PDB file of all heavy atoms in Angstrom:
ATOM      1  N   THR A 244       0.860  -1.195  -0.039  1.00 97.00           N
ATOM      2  CA  THR A 244       0.051  -0.015  -0.005  1.00 97.00           C
ATOM      3  C   THR A 244       0.961   1.261  -0.002  1.00 97.00           C
ATOM      4  O   THR A 244       2.106   1.081   0.399  1.00 97.00           O
ATOM      5  CB  THR A 244      -0.917   0.068   1.114  1.00 97.00           C
ATOM      6  OG1 THR A 244       0.010   0.050   2.437  1.00 97.00           O
ATOM      7  CG2 THR A 244      -1.873  -1.198   1.289  1.00 97.00           C
ATOM      8  N   PRO A 245       0.406   2.458  -0.363  1.00 97.00           N
ATOM      9  CA  PRO A 245       1.204   3.680  -0.284  1.00 97.00           C
ATOM     10  C   PRO A 245       1.789   3.891   1.042  1.00 97.00           C
ATOM     11  O   PRO A 245       3.011   4.330   1.131  1.00 97.00           O
ATOM     12  CB  PRO A 245       0.282   4.754  -0.725  1.00 97.00           C
ATOM     13  CG  PRO A 245      -0.757   4.038  -1.428  1.00 97.00           C
ATOM     14  CD  PRO A 245      -0.944   2.760  -0.970  1.00 97.00           C
ATOM     15  N   TRP A 246       1.069   3.664   2.112  1.00 97.00           N
ATOM     16  CA  TRP A 246       1.600   3.743   3.518  1.00 97.00           C
ATOM     17  C   TRP A 246       2.778   2.885   3.684  1.00 97.00           C
ATOM     18  O   TRP A 246       3.926   3.337   4.221  1.00 97.00           O
ATOM     19  CB  TRP A 246       0.502   3.413   4.536  1.00 97.00           C
ATOM     20  CG  TRP A 246       1.016   3.281   5.858  1.00 97.00           C
ATOM     21  CD1 TRP A 246       1.249   4.298   6.827  1.00 97.00           C
ATOM     22  CD2 TRP A 246       1.377   2.037   6.541  1.00 97.00           C
ATOM     23  NE1 TRP A 246       1.668   3.812   8.004  1.00 97.00           N
ATOM     24  CE2 TRP A 246       1.797   2.470   7.917  1.00 97.00           C
ATOM     25  CE3 TRP A 246       1.325   0.767   6.246  1.00 97.00           C
ATOM     26  CZ2 TRP A 246       2.209   1.380   8.815  1.00 97.00           C
ATOM     27  CZ3 TRP A 246       1.731  -0.348   7.067  1.00 97.00           C
ATOM     28  CH2 TRP A 246       2.197   0.160   8.515  1.00 97.00           C
ATOM     29  N   ALA A 247       2.699   1.605   3.330  1.00 97.00           N
ATOM     30  CA  ALA A 247       3.779   0.622   3.525  1.00 97.00           C
ATOM     31  C   ALA A 247       5.041   1.010   2.709  1.00 97.00           C
ATOM     32  O   ALA A 247       6.150   0.880   3.086  1.00 97.00           O
ATOM     33  CB  ALA A 247       3.400  -0.729   3.405  1.00 97.00           C
ATOM     34  N   ALA A 248       4.704   1.382   1.437  1.00 97.00           N
ATOM     35  CA  ALA A 248       5.832   1.622   0.382  1.00 97.00           C
ATOM     36  C   ALA A 248       6.558   2.905   0.932  1.00 97.00           C
ATOM     37  O   ALA A 248       7.845   2.896   0.688  1.00 97.00           O
ATOM     38  CB  ALA A 248       5.215   1.844  -0.920  1.00 97.00           C
ATOM     39  N   GLN A 249       5.944   3.810   1.478  1.00 97.00           N
ATOM     40  CA  GLN A 249       6.790   5.017   2.005  1.00 97.00           C
ATOM     41  C   GLN A 249       7.651   4.657   3.180  1.00 97.00           C
ATOM     42  O   GLN A 249       8.698   5.183   3.300  1.00 97.00           O
ATOM     43  CB  GLN A 249       5.681   6.049   2.491  1.00 97.00           C
ATOM     44  CG  GLN A 249       6.321   7.446   2.968  1.00 97.00           C
ATOM     45  CD  GLN A 249       5.314   8.423   3.306  1.00 97.00           C
ATOM     46  OE1 GLN A 249       4.085   8.180   3.489  1.00 97.00           O
ATOM     47  NE2 GLN A 249       5.772   9.700   3.545  1.00 97.00           N
ATOM     48  N   ILE A 250       7.149   3.749   4.124  1.00 97.00           N
ATOM     49  CA  ILE A 250       7.941   3.297   5.334  1.00 97.00           C
ATOM     50  C   ILE A 250       9.131   2.456   4.733  1.00 97.00           C
ATOM     51  O   ILE A 250      10.323   2.637   5.228  1.00 97.00           O
ATOM     52  CB  ILE A 250       7.012   2.479   6.219  1.00 97.00           C
ATOM     53  CG1 ILE A 250       6.005   3.448   6.824  1.00 97.00           C
ATOM     54  CG2 ILE A 250       7.951   1.809   7.280  1.00 97.00           C
ATOM     55  CD1 ILE A 250       5.136   2.769   7.838  1.00 97.00           C
ATOM     56  N   GLN A 251       8.840   1.655   3.788  1.00 96.00           N
ATOM     57  CA  GLN A 251       9.947   0.762   3.243  1.00 96.00           C
ATOM     58  C   GLN A 251      11.003   1.601   2.557  1.00 96.00           C
ATOM     59  O   GLN A 251      12.213   1.406   2.786  1.00 96.00           O
ATOM     60  CB  GLN A 251       9.374  -0.261   2.262  1.00 96.00           C
ATOM     61  CG  GLN A 251      10.360  -1.309   1.820  1.00 96.00           C
ATOM     62  CD  GLN A 251      11.021  -1.056   0.676  1.00 96.00           C
ATOM     63  OE1 GLN A 251      10.611  -0.111  -0.211  1.00 96.00           O
ATOM     64  NE2 GLN A 251      12.137  -1.678   0.380  1.00 96.00           N
ATOM     65  N   ALA A 252      10.613   2.618   1.810  1.00 96.00           N
ATOM     66  CA  ALA A 252      11.590   3.468   1.233  1.00 96.00           C
ATOM     67  C   ALA A 252      12.443   4.238   2.288  1.00 96.00           C
ATOM     68  O   ALA A 252      13.641   4.530   2.100  1.00 96.00           O
ATOM     69  CB  ALA A 252      10.940   4.515   0.306  1.00 96.00           C
ATOM     70  N   GLN A 253      11.729   4.710   3.393  1.00 96.00           N
ATOM     71  CA  GLN A 253      12.463   5.486   4.314  1.00 96.00           C
ATOM     72  C   GLN A 253      13.450   4.555   4.968  1.00 96.00           C
ATOM     73  O   GLN A 253      14.488   4.985   5.325  1.00 96.00           O
ATOM     74  CB  GLN A 253      11.511   5.940   5.386  1.00 96.00           C
ATOM     75  CG  GLN A 253      12.055   6.766   6.464  1.00 96.00           C
ATOM     76  CD  GLN A 253      11.086   7.192   7.453  1.00 96.00           C
ATOM     77  OE1 GLN A 253      10.440   6.273   8.135  1.00 96.00           O
ATOM     78  NE2 GLN A 253      10.989   8.467   7.835  1.00 96.00           N
ATOM     79  N   ARG A 254      13.146   3.363   5.327  1.00 95.00           N
ATOM     80  CA  ARG A 254      14.055   2.364   5.917  1.00 95.00           C
ATOM     81  C   ARG A 254      15.356   2.138   5.153  1.00 95.00           C
ATOM     82  O   ARG A 254      16.328   2.231   5.659  1.00 95.00           O
ATOM     83  CB  ARG A 254      13.325   1.103   6.266  1.00 95.00           C
ATOM     84  CG  ARG A 254      12.305   1.209   7.298  1.00 95.00           C
ATOM     85  CD  ARG A 254      11.497  -0.068   7.624  1.00 95.00           C
ATOM     86  NE  ARG A 254      10.620   0.083   8.679  1.00 95.00           N
ATOM     87  CZ  ARG A 254       9.806  -0.949   9.004  1.00 95.00           C
ATOM     88  NH1 ARG A 254       9.706  -2.057   8.331  1.00 95.00           N
ATOM     89  NH2 ARG A 254       8.882  -0.837  10.113  1.00 95.00           N
ATOM     90  N   GLU A 255      15.107   2.021   3.767  1.00 91.00           N
ATOM     91  CA  GLU A 255      16.298   1.697   2.813  1.00 91.00           C
ATOM     92  C   GLU A 255      17.157   3.076   2.931  1.00 91.00           C
ATOM     93  O   GLU A 255      18.369   3.007   2.814  1.00 91.00           O
ATOM     94  CB  GLU A 255      15.726   1.242   1.573  1.00 91.00           C
ATOM     95  CG  GLU A 255      15.334  -0.104   1.412  1.00 91.00           C
ATOM     96  CD  GLU A 255      15.287  -0.637   0.169  1.00 91.00           C
ATOM     97  OE1 GLU A 255      14.827   0.133  -0.927  1.00 91.00           O
ATOM     98  OE2 GLU A 255      15.753  -1.784  -0.248  1.00 91.00           O
ATOM     99  N   SER A 256      16.432   4.288   2.865  1.00 92.00           N
ATOM    100  CA  SER A 256      17.149   5.534   2.700  1.00 92.00           C
ATOM    101  C   SER A 256      17.973   5.807   3.896  1.00 92.00           C
ATOM    102  O   SER A 256      19.191   6.456   3.868  1.00 92.00           O
ATOM    103  CB  SER A 256      16.294   6.644   2.361  1.00 92.00           C
ATOM    104  OG  SER A 256      15.455   6.897   3.483  1.00 92.00           O
ATOM    105  N   ARG A 257      17.687   5.248   5.088  1.00 93.00           N
ATOM    106  CA  ARG A 257      18.201   5.440   6.344  1.00 93.00           C
ATOM    107  C   ARG A 257      19.231   4.298   6.621  1.00 93.00           C
ATOM    108  O   ARG A 257      19.819   4.109   7.794  1.00 93.00           O
ATOM    109  CB  ARG A 257      17.378   5.605   7.501  1.00 93.00           C
ATOM    110  CG  ARG A 257      16.640   6.986   7.573  1.00 93.00           C
ATOM    111  CD  ARG A 257      15.623   7.072   8.599  1.00 93.00           C
ATOM    112  NE  ARG A 257      15.960   6.680   9.916  1.00 93.00           N
ATOM    113  CZ  ARG A 257      16.658   7.576  10.710  1.00 93.00           C
ATOM    114  NH1 ARG A 257      16.975   8.682  10.266  1.00 93.00           N
ATOM    115  NH2 ARG A 257      17.039   6.984  11.887  1.00 93.00           N
ATOM    116  N   ASN A 258      19.506   3.487   5.657  1.00 90.00           N
ATOM    117  CA  ASN A 258      20.407   2.242   5.755  1.00 90.00           C
ATOM    118  C   ASN A 258      20.103   1.442   6.869  1.00 90.00           C
ATOM    119  O   ASN A 258      21.041   0.934   7.459  1.00 90.00           O
ATOM    120  CB  ASN A 258      21.833   2.854   5.839  1.00 90.00           C
ATOM    121  CG  ASN A 258      23.000   1.866   5.444  1.00 90.00           C
ATOM    122  OD1 ASN A 258      22.614   0.902   4.813  1.00 90.00           O
ATOM    123  ND2 ASN A 258      24.163   1.858   6.156  1.00 90.00           N
ATOM    124  N   HIS A 259      18.811   1.186   7.033  1.00 89.00           N
ATOM    125  CA  HIS A 259      18.266   0.187   8.005  1.00 89.00           C
ATOM    126  C   HIS A 259      18.648   0.451   9.426  1.00 89.00           C
ATOM    127  O   HIS A 259      18.529  -0.500  10.197  1.00 89.00           O
ATOM    128  CB  HIS A 259      18.792  -1.259   7.540  1.00 89.00           C
ATOM    129  CG  HIS A 259      18.463  -1.532   6.134  1.00 89.00           C
ATOM    130  ND1 HIS A 259      19.283  -1.111   5.167  1.00 89.00           N
ATOM    131  CD2 HIS A 259      17.467  -2.040   5.456  1.00 89.00           C
ATOM    132  CE1 HIS A 259      18.873  -1.615   3.967  1.00 89.00           C
ATOM    133  NE2 HIS A 259      17.722  -2.239   4.113  1.00 89.00           N
ATOM    134  N   VAL A 260      18.970   1.691   9.829  1.00 93.00           N
ATOM    135  CA  VAL A 260      19.348   1.978  11.272  1.00 93.00           C
ATOM    136  C   VAL A 260      18.201   1.751  12.143  1.00 93.00           C
ATOM    137  O   VAL A 260      18.376   1.783  13.382  1.00 93.00           O
ATOM    138  CB  VAL A 260      20.004   3.345  11.342  1.00 93.00           C
ATOM    139  CG1 VAL A 260      21.251   3.491  10.474  1.00 93.00           C
ATOM    140  CG2 VAL A 260      19.028   4.414  10.889  1.00 93.00           C
ATOM    141  N   ASP A 261      17.034   1.741  11.579  1.00 92.00           N
ATOM    142  CA  ASP A 261      15.758   1.777  12.632  1.00 92.00           C
ATOM    143  C   ASP A 261      15.244   0.395  12.769  1.00 92.00           C
ATOM    144  O   ASP A 261      14.305   0.091  13.420  1.00 92.00           O
ATOM    145  CB  ASP A 261      14.575   2.513  11.912  1.00 92.00           C
ATOM    146  CG  ASP A 261      15.023   3.989  11.739  1.00 92.00           C
ATOM    147  OD1 ASP A 261      15.645   4.649  12.687  1.00 92.00           O
ATOM    148  OD2 ASP A 261      14.772   4.633  10.633  1.00 92.00           O
ATOM    149  N   ASP A 262      15.998  -0.677  12.329  1.00 94.00           N
ATOM    150  CA  ASP A 262      15.733  -2.074  12.474  1.00 94.00           C
ATOM    151  C   ASP A 262      15.627  -2.374  14.072  1.00 94.00           C
ATOM    152  O   ASP A 262      16.677  -2.291  14.749  1.00 94.00           O
ATOM    153  CB  ASP A 262      16.654  -2.950  11.787  1.00 94.00           C
ATOM    154  CG  ASP A 262      16.198  -4.397  11.779  1.00 94.00           C
ATOM    155  OD1 ASP A 262      15.280  -4.858  12.645  1.00 94.00           O
ATOM    156  OD2 ASP A 262      16.589  -5.242  10.925  1.00 94.00           O
ATOM    157  N   PRO A 263      14.479  -2.790  14.651  1.00 91.00           N
ATOM    158  CA  PRO A 263      14.421  -3.212  15.951  1.00 91.00           C
ATOM    159  C   PRO A 263      15.441  -4.214  16.378  1.00 91.00           C
ATOM    160  O   PRO A 263      15.942  -4.225  17.584  1.00 91.00           O
ATOM    161  CB  PRO A 263      13.021  -3.623  16.309  1.00 91.00           C
ATOM    162  CG  PRO A 263      12.324  -3.051  15.113  1.00 91.00           C
ATOM    163  CD  PRO A 263      13.192  -2.966  14.001  1.00 91.00           C
ATOM    164  N   TYR A 264      15.782  -5.150  15.484  1.00 90.00           N
ATOM    165  CA  TYR A 264      16.763  -6.167  15.770  1.00 90.00           C
ATOM    166  C   TYR A 264      18.100  -5.619  16.076  1.00 90.00           C
ATOM    167  O   TYR A 264      18.924  -6.279  16.838  1.00 90.00           O
ATOM    168  CB  TYR A 264      16.752  -7.202  14.605  1.00 90.00           C
ATOM    169  CG  TYR A 264      17.390  -8.474  14.926  1.00 90.00           C
ATOM    170  CD1 TYR A 264      17.440  -8.999  16.151  1.00 90.00           C
ATOM    171  CD2 TYR A 264      17.856  -9.282  13.835  1.00 90.00           C
ATOM    172  CE1 TYR A 264      18.002 -10.292  16.447  1.00 90.00           C
ATOM    173  CE2 TYR A 264      18.453 -10.552  14.094  1.00 90.00           C
ATOM    174  CZ  TYR A 264      18.490 -11.000  15.363  1.00 90.00           C
ATOM    175  OH  TYR A 264      19.029 -12.238  15.631  1.00 90.00           O
ATOM    176  N   GLY A 265      18.345  -4.477  15.454  1.00 88.00           N
ATOM    177  CA  GLY A 265      19.734  -3.863  15.707  1.00 88.00           C
ATOM    178  C   GLY A 265      19.825  -3.339  17.032  1.00 88.00           C
ATOM    179  O   GLY A 265      20.867  -3.014  17.564  1.00 88.00           O
ATOM    180  N   TYR A 266      18.744  -3.162  17.800  1.00 90.00           N
ATOM    181  CA  TYR A 266      18.664  -2.679  19.258  1.00 90.00           C
ATOM    182  C   TYR A 266      18.406  -3.825  20.215  1.00 90.00           C
ATOM    183  O   TYR A 266      17.805  -3.540  21.113  1.00 90.00           O
ATOM    184  CB  TYR A 266      17.689  -1.613  19.313  1.00 90.00           C
ATOM    185  CG  TYR A 266      18.007  -0.295  18.483  1.00 90.00           C
ATOM    186  CD1 TYR A 266      17.561  -0.311  17.061  1.00 90.00           C
ATOM    187  CD2 TYR A 266      18.716   0.712  18.922  1.00 90.00           C
ATOM    188  CE1 TYR A 266      17.974   0.728  16.298  1.00 90.00           C
ATOM    189  CE2 TYR A 266      19.155   1.741  18.035  1.00 90.00           C
ATOM    190  CZ  TYR A 266      18.660   1.865  16.839  1.00 90.00           C
ATOM    191  OH  TYR A 266      18.967   2.882  15.985  1.00 90.00           O
ATOM    192  N   CYS A 267      18.643  -5.023  19.793  1.00 87.00           N
ATOM    193  CA  CYS A 267      18.592  -6.261  20.629  1.00 87.00           C
ATOM    194  C   CYS A 267      17.088  -6.519  20.914  1.00 87.00           C
ATOM    195  O   CYS A 267      16.787  -6.973  22.051  1.00 87.00           O
ATOM    196  CB  CYS A 267      19.337  -6.094  21.849  1.00 87.00           C
ATOM    197  SG  CYS A 267      21.149  -6.008  21.510  1.00 87.00           S
ATOM    198  N   LEU A 268      16.156  -6.107  20.103  1.00 89.00           N
ATOM    199  CA  LEU A 268      14.661  -6.464  20.285  1.00 89.00           C
ATOM    200  C   LEU A 268      14.430  -7.606  19.439  1.00 89.00           C
ATOM    201  O   LEU A 268      15.142  -7.945  18.424  1.00 89.00           O
ATOM    202  CB  LEU A 268      13.938  -5.245  19.930  1.00 89.00           C
ATOM    203  CG  LEU A 268      14.007  -4.074  20.853  1.00 89.00           C
ATOM    204  CD1 LEU A 268      13.260  -2.749  20.211  1.00 89.00           C
ATOM    205  CD2 LEU A 268      13.384  -4.279  22.208  1.00 89.00           C
ATOM    206  N   PRO A 269      13.363  -8.448  19.763  1.00 89.00           N
ATOM    207  CA  PRO A 269      13.057  -9.508  18.866  1.00 89.00           C
ATOM    208  C   PRO A 269      12.802  -9.166  17.481  1.00 89.00           C
ATOM    209  O   PRO A 269      12.268  -8.194  17.060  1.00 89.00           O
ATOM    210  CB  PRO A 269      11.728 -10.086  19.486  1.00 89.00           C
ATOM    211  CG  PRO A 269      11.802  -9.581  20.818  1.00 89.00           C
ATOM    212  CD  PRO A 269      12.471  -8.244  20.896  1.00 89.00           C
ATOM    213  N   PRO A 270      13.195  -9.976  16.447  1.00 90.00           N
ATOM    214  CA  PRO A 270      13.144  -9.649  15.025  1.00 90.00           C
ATOM    215  C   PRO A 270      11.841  -9.812  14.495  1.00 90.00           C
ATOM    216  O   PRO A 270      11.609  -9.455  13.362  1.00 90.00           O
ATOM    217  CB  PRO A 270      14.137 -10.636  14.415  1.00 90.00           C
ATOM    218  CG  PRO A 270      14.189 -11.811  15.285  1.00 90.00           C
ATOM    219  CD  PRO A 270      14.085 -11.214  16.722  1.00 90.00           C
ATOM    220  N   GLY A 271      10.861 -10.406  15.216  1.00 93.00           N
ATOM    221  CA  GLY A 271       9.616 -10.478  14.686  1.00 93.00           C
ATOM    222  C   GLY A 271       9.295 -11.842  14.129  1.00 93.00           C
ATOM    223  O   GLY A 271      10.150 -12.666  13.823  1.00 93.00           O
ATOM    224  N   THR A 272       8.008 -12.071  13.844  1.00 94.00           N
ATOM    225  CA  THR A 272       7.582 -13.417  13.365  1.00 94.00           C
ATOM    226  C   THR A 272       7.057 -13.076  11.863  1.00 94.00           C
ATOM    227  O   THR A 272       6.253 -12.174  11.671  1.00 94.00           O
ATOM    228  CB  THR A 272       6.311 -13.980  14.105  1.00 94.00           C
ATOM    229  OG1 THR A 272       6.775 -14.155  15.372  1.00 94.00           O
ATOM    230  CG2 THR A 272       5.893 -15.312  13.411  1.00 94.00           C
ATOM    231  N   PRO A 273       7.514 -13.789  10.883  1.00 94.00           N
ATOM    232  CA  PRO A 273       8.426 -15.049  10.808  1.00 94.00           C
ATOM    233  C   PRO A 273       9.915 -14.774  10.677  1.00 94.00           C
ATOM    234  O   PRO A 273      10.554 -15.812  10.607  1.00 94.00           O
ATOM    235  CB  PRO A 273       7.821 -15.694   9.640  1.00 94.00           C
ATOM    236  CG  PRO A 273       7.529 -14.611   8.693  1.00 94.00           C
ATOM    237  CD  PRO A 273       7.033 -13.483   9.470  1.00 94.00           C
ATOM    238  N   ARG A 274      10.302 -13.587  10.667  1.00 92.00           N
ATOM    239  CA  ARG A 274      11.730 -13.382  10.515  1.00 92.00           C
ATOM    240  C   ARG A 274      12.614 -14.161  11.502  1.00 92.00           C
ATOM    241  O   ARG A 274      13.735 -14.586  11.119  1.00 92.00           O
ATOM    242  CB  ARG A 274      12.131 -11.777  10.473  1.00 92.00           C
ATOM    243  CG  ARG A 274      13.395 -11.515  10.216  1.00 92.00           C
ATOM    244  CD  ARG A 274      13.728 -10.056   9.860  1.00 92.00           C
ATOM    245  NE  ARG A 274      13.497  -9.177  11.081  1.00 92.00           N
ATOM    246  CZ  ARG A 274      14.137  -8.099  11.290  1.00 92.00           C
ATOM    247  NH1 ARG A 274      15.053  -7.652  10.490  1.00 92.00           N
ATOM    248  NH2 ARG A 274      13.802  -7.310  12.294  1.00 92.00           N
ATOM    249  N   ILE A 275      12.109 -14.302  12.572  1.00 92.00           N
ATOM    250  CA  ILE A 275      12.894 -15.046  13.713  1.00 92.00           C
ATOM    251  C   ILE A 275      13.277 -16.397  13.248  1.00 92.00           C
ATOM    252  O   ILE A 275      14.382 -16.903  13.818  1.00 92.00           O
ATOM    253  CB  ILE A 275      12.113 -14.939  15.075  1.00 92.00           C
ATOM    254  CG1 ILE A 275      13.015 -15.300  16.162  1.00 92.00           C
ATOM    255  CG2 ILE A 275      10.827 -15.877  14.881  1.00 92.00           C
ATOM    256  CD1 ILE A 275      12.311 -15.066  17.562  1.00 92.00           C
ATOM    257  N   ASN A 276      12.581 -16.981  12.455  1.00 91.00           N
ATOM    258  CA  ASN A 276      12.954 -18.367  12.037  1.00 91.00           C
ATOM    259  C   ASN A 276      14.150 -18.497  11.194  1.00 91.00           C
ATOM    260  O   ASN A 276      14.474 -19.683  10.988  1.00 91.00           O
ATOM    261  CB  ASN A 276      11.691 -19.088  11.342  1.00 91.00           C
ATOM    262  CG  ASN A 276      10.488 -19.174  12.385  1.00 91.00           C
ATOM    263  OD1 ASN A 276      10.610 -19.454  13.601  1.00 91.00           O
ATOM    264  ND2 ASN A 276       9.302 -19.003  11.835  1.00 91.00           N
ATOM    265  N   PHE A 277      14.485 -17.437  10.386  1.00 86.00           N
ATOM    266  CA  PHE A 277      15.343 -17.480   9.314  1.00 86.00           C
ATOM    267  C   PHE A 277      16.806 -16.876   9.662  1.00 86.00           C
ATOM    268  O   PHE A 277      17.723 -17.236   8.722  1.00 86.00           O
ATOM    269  CB  PHE A 277      14.745 -16.817   8.142  1.00 86.00           C
ATOM    270  CG  PHE A 277      13.399 -17.338   7.761  1.00 86.00           C
ATOM    271  CD1 PHE A 277      12.325 -16.530   7.589  1.00 86.00           C
ATOM    272  CD2 PHE A 277      13.133 -18.556   7.545  1.00 86.00           C
ATOM    273  CE1 PHE A 277      11.137 -16.803   7.391  1.00 86.00           C
ATOM    274  CE2 PHE A 277      11.909 -19.011   7.323  1.00 86.00           C
ATOM    275  CZ  PHE A 277      10.912 -18.273   7.150  1.00 86.00           C
ATOM    276  N   GLY A 278      16.940 -16.046  10.607  1.00 75.00           N
ATOM    277  CA  GLY A 278      18.247 -15.488  10.777  1.00 75.00           C
ATOM    278  C   GLY A 278      18.892 -15.667  12.171  1.00 75.00           C
ATOM    279  O   GLY A 278      19.940 -15.149  12.355  1.00 75.00           O
ATOM    280  N   GLY A 279      18.239 -16.187  13.146  1.00 63.00           N
ATOM    281  CA  GLY A 279      18.782 -16.220  14.452  1.00 63.00           C
ATOM    282  C   GLY A 279      19.458 -17.421  14.819  1.00 63.00           C
ATOM    283  O   GLY A 279      19.755 -17.649  15.961  1.00 63.00           O
ATOM    284  N   GLY A 280      19.849 -18.363  13.886  1.00 75.00           N
ATOM    285  CA  GLY A 280      20.479 -19.540  14.294  1.00 75.00           C
ATOM    286  C   GLY A 280      19.537 -20.611  14.604  1.00 75.00           C
ATOM    287  O   GLY A 280      18.285 -20.571  14.560  1.00 75.00           O
ATOM    288  N   PRO A 281      20.002 -21.750  15.129  1.00 84.00           N
ATOM    289  CA  PRO A 281      19.161 -22.835  15.543  1.00 84.00           C
ATOM    290  C   PRO A 281      18.119 -22.505  16.654  1.00 84.00           C
ATOM    291  O   PRO A 281      18.393 -21.581  17.379  1.00 84.00           O
ATOM    292  CB  PRO A 281      20.085 -23.919  16.010  1.00 84.00           C
ATOM    293  CG  PRO A 281      21.371 -23.523  15.530  1.00 84.00           C
ATOM    294  CD  PRO A 281      21.371 -22.042  15.372  1.00 84.00           C
TER     295      PRO A 281
END
């Protein structure tokens, strides 16, 4: 949606510094299944 597309573009323009996972917060579902190890 336009709302989501704007947020996605902002995240990329800020080089992903706003990712909660980068602040030791849970990466969310389903992302947690694919990048956190076993």
Side-chain angles (χ1 to χ4, degrees):
T244 62
W246 168 82
Q249 183 178 12
I250 292 177
Q251 191 267 341
Q253 181 186 58
R254 289 174 175 177
E255 284 197 317
S256 69
R257 288 174 52 79
N258 198 25
H259 307 84
V260 299
D261 301 313
D262 189 340
Y264 196 24
Y266 296 89
C267 297
L268 295 170
T272 304
R274 184 167 61 146
I275 194 171
N276 295 324
F277 306 125

